[in-house]
Amino acid sequence: MSWRSAEDYKLIEELEWPDLWDDYERAVSVCISAHEEPMQRFGIKDSDGGRLFQQLRLLDPSGDCLKKIKRSQEALHRAEGALRSKLSLLPDDWRSDKTFHRMLCVLNIRDCSIYKDICKAFDKMHVDNRSLVDLIALSRTRMGFPVALKLVVRVGTKEARGTLLKISRNVHDNEAKMALLNDAAVAVSVKIHDRHVIPLLVNRLITVYSKACEDRDEQAGSIIADLLEVMEHTRDELAPKLLQQLAALGGDTGAATGEDGKENSQLGIKQSIINRDLGPIREAARQELQRRRVAS
């Protein structure tokens, strides 16, 4: 394992020590117990309303419960601070199996107070095909599912797409997770320039245009960029019928070229916007059709 500096190596080495992680996990456990014990003792429920501290001042005049909670919170803040400071300094493209494993364990904690810090550290981690088995394990943790999918997309290989299929086998009756999986599968397919993703991207583009949302232009622009990228790398593989459909994408008999100010009867937005956005896709498809006609 090679590091760009002695400081980076020392930092990784420190994060591989179990003490930092053990202290944090212990502090979380103690803090949870300090809150749950008086709730069970005095029959306090979440549905009762009001802050726990306010109720304990009435129910526990001695103040022992509050003192215990405050001590546990102070210990948790110290443990959090120690980990946060180390995690924030991780170098780009870092690698460490031991650190990855401890981060994975932390994402299994019910109340992970350093979730955002863990996610930022994962964003800088080196990933490749060899990481995919570990990312499947990460996807099975309490809070690691979206993190794992993001890293699989970063790998962006055919093997990564196969990994998404393996992850999907552990997802049952969860529409939110399935939506994230579908988005990840599309993103990987774009990265590996799979021509079969083009119809799916077109359907997503139509859906975006048909919605009245503030970031519609941004969403459409992203999809169009993906379409152009895949078309550029797969133009020799595209069927003539698909090219013809792309060359006419967004056309509307009720809003001809000379009537750009009219709304597209299918999508409900101005034809001029569609012509502006989809012009590059239409032109790329027409050029490929023309190139084939000349070559034949």
Side-chain angles (χ1 to χ4, degrees), residues 31-45 48-73:
C31 196
I32 291 173
S33 296
H35 283 76
E36 288 183 345
E37 285 174 6
M39 291 177 69
Q40 294 174 358
R41 177 180 167 189
F42 296 110
I44 301 171
K45 297 180 180 179
D48 288 344
R51 293 176 61 86
L52 176 62
F53 282 17
Q54 292 173 342
Q55 295 183 64
L56 287 179
R57 288 191 183 99
L58 296 174
L59 298 170
D60 181 32
S62 68
D64 290 342
C65 292
L66 284 175
K67 290 175 185 175
K68 188 175 181 180
I69 289 175
K70 289 179 179 178
R71 284 197 303 269
S72 70
Q73 288 177 332

Side-chain angles (χ1 to χ4, degrees), residues 19 27 48 63 85 93 97 101-102 129 134 146 148 151 156 159 164 166 183 208 213 221 242 262 294:
D19 296 9
D48 288 344
S85 63
D93 220 33
D97 291 341
H101 174 71
R102 293 312 299 255
N129 280 339
D134 289 334
L151 293 175
E159 293 80 3
L164 292 174
K166 293 177 182 177
D183 288 344
V208 167
C213 52
L242 177 58
K262 287 191 175 183
V294 171

Side-chain angles (χ1 to χ4, degrees), residues 108-125:
N108 253 332
I109 294 176
R110 190 181 72 190
D111 294 305
C112 178
S113 56
I114 57 171
Y115 176 74
K116 291 182 179 179
D117 306 273
I118 294 290
C119 289
K120 289 178 182 177
F122 273 128
D123 285 342
K124 296 191 287 185
M125 186 180 75

Side-chain angles (χ1 to χ4, degrees), residues 5-283:
S5 67
E7 288 79 11
D8 289 347
Y9 180 84
K10 182 181 178 183
L11 175 65
I12 293 293
E13 193 176 44
E14 289 175 354
L15 274 170
E16 288 182 345
W17 293 344
D19 296 9
L20 281 171
W21 301 96
D22 290 347
D23 288 348
Y24 173 72
E25 291 182 18
R26 190 181 304 110
V28 171
S29 177
V30 170
C31 196
I32 291 173
S33 296
H35 283 76
E36 288 183 345
E37 285 174 6
M39 291 177 69
Q40 294 174 358
R41 177 180 167 189
F42 296 110
I44 301 171
K45 297 180 180 179
D46 293 338
S47 58
D48 288 344
R51 293 176 61 86
L52 176 62
F53 282 17
Q54 292 173 342
Q55 295 183 64
L56 287 179
R57 288 191 183 99
L58 296 174
L59 298 170
D60 181 32
S62 68
D64 290 342
C65 292
L66 284 175
K67 290 175 185 175
K68 188 175 181 180
I69 289 175
K70 289 179 179 178
R71 284 197 303 269
S72 70
Q73 288 177 332
E74 289 169 359
L76 177 59
H77 292 157
R78 286 194 298 271
E80 287 173 350
L83 264 181
R84 281 197 175 105
S85 63
K86 301 292 183 186
L87 290 170
S88 65
L89 296 174
L90 275 170
D92 292 334
D93 220 33
W94 65 270
R95 298 190 195 193
S96 169
D97 291 341
K98 289 181 180 179
T99 300
F100 173 87
H101 174 71
R102 293 312 299 255
M103 289 167 63
L104 182 149
C105 291
V106 165
L107 290 184
N108 253 332
I109 294 176
R110 190 181 72 190
D111 294 305
C112 178
S113 56
I114 57 171
Y115 176 74
K116 291 182 179 179
D117 306 273
I118 294 290
C119 289
K120 289 178 182 177
F122 273 128
D123 285 342
K124 296 191 287 185
M125 186 180 75
H126 176 89
V127 287
D128 54 33
N129 280 339
R130 292 169 296 180
S131 313
L132 294 173
V133 173
D134 289 334
L135 298 184
I136 293 174
L138 177 60
S139 73
R140 294 172 179 168
T141 60
R142 184 187 294 270
M143 302 178 69
F145 188 83
V147 183
L149 295 191
K150 188 176 180 180
L151 293 175
V152 172
V153 171
R154 269 181 52 199
V155 175
T157 61
K158 290 181 180 179
E159 293 80 3
R161 191 165 60 179
T163 296
L164 292 174
L165 180 59
K166 293 177 182 177
I167 291 174
S168 70
R169 292 171 184 157
N170 294 301
V171 177
H172 307 288
D173 301 324
N174 191 317
E175 292 184 6
K177 284 189 174 182
M178 286 306 302
L180 289 175
L181 269 169
N182 289 335
D183 288 344
V186 170
V188 173
S189 295
V190 170
K191 279 196 167 188
I192 63 177
H193 304 135
D194 182 356
R195 70 182 187 279
H196 298 101
V197 79
I198 290 178
L200 186 55
L201 288 172
V202 170
N203 288 337
R204 289 191 166 205
L205 186 59
I206 292 170
T207 301
V208 167
Y209 277 133
S210 63
K211 292 191 301 184
C213 52
E214 293 182 0
D215 62 342
R216 182 172 62 189
D217 289 347
E218 183 180 342
Q219 289 185 45
S222 176
I223 296 172
I224 290 168
D226 288 343
L227 269 167
L228 289 170
E229 180 181 343
V230 177
M231 288 174 66
E232 180 183 353
H233 288 85
T234 62
R235 63 179 190 173
D236 293 333
E237 306 170 26
L238 301 182
K241 185 177 180 181
L242 177 58
L243 285 170
Q244 291 166 4
Q245 292 171 339
L246 292 172
L249 187 61
D252 185 26
T253 55
T257 305
E259 299 177 286
D260 274 358
K262 287 191 175 183
E263 282 194 352
N264 183 289
S265 59
Q266 294 179 325
L267 302 179
I269 62 173
K270 288 185 178 180
Q271 187 65 31
S272 59
I273 296 175
I274 296 174
N275 291 339
R276 178 200 67 195
D277 291 352
L278 304 187
I281 295 173
R282 292 171 177 170
E283 185 59 27

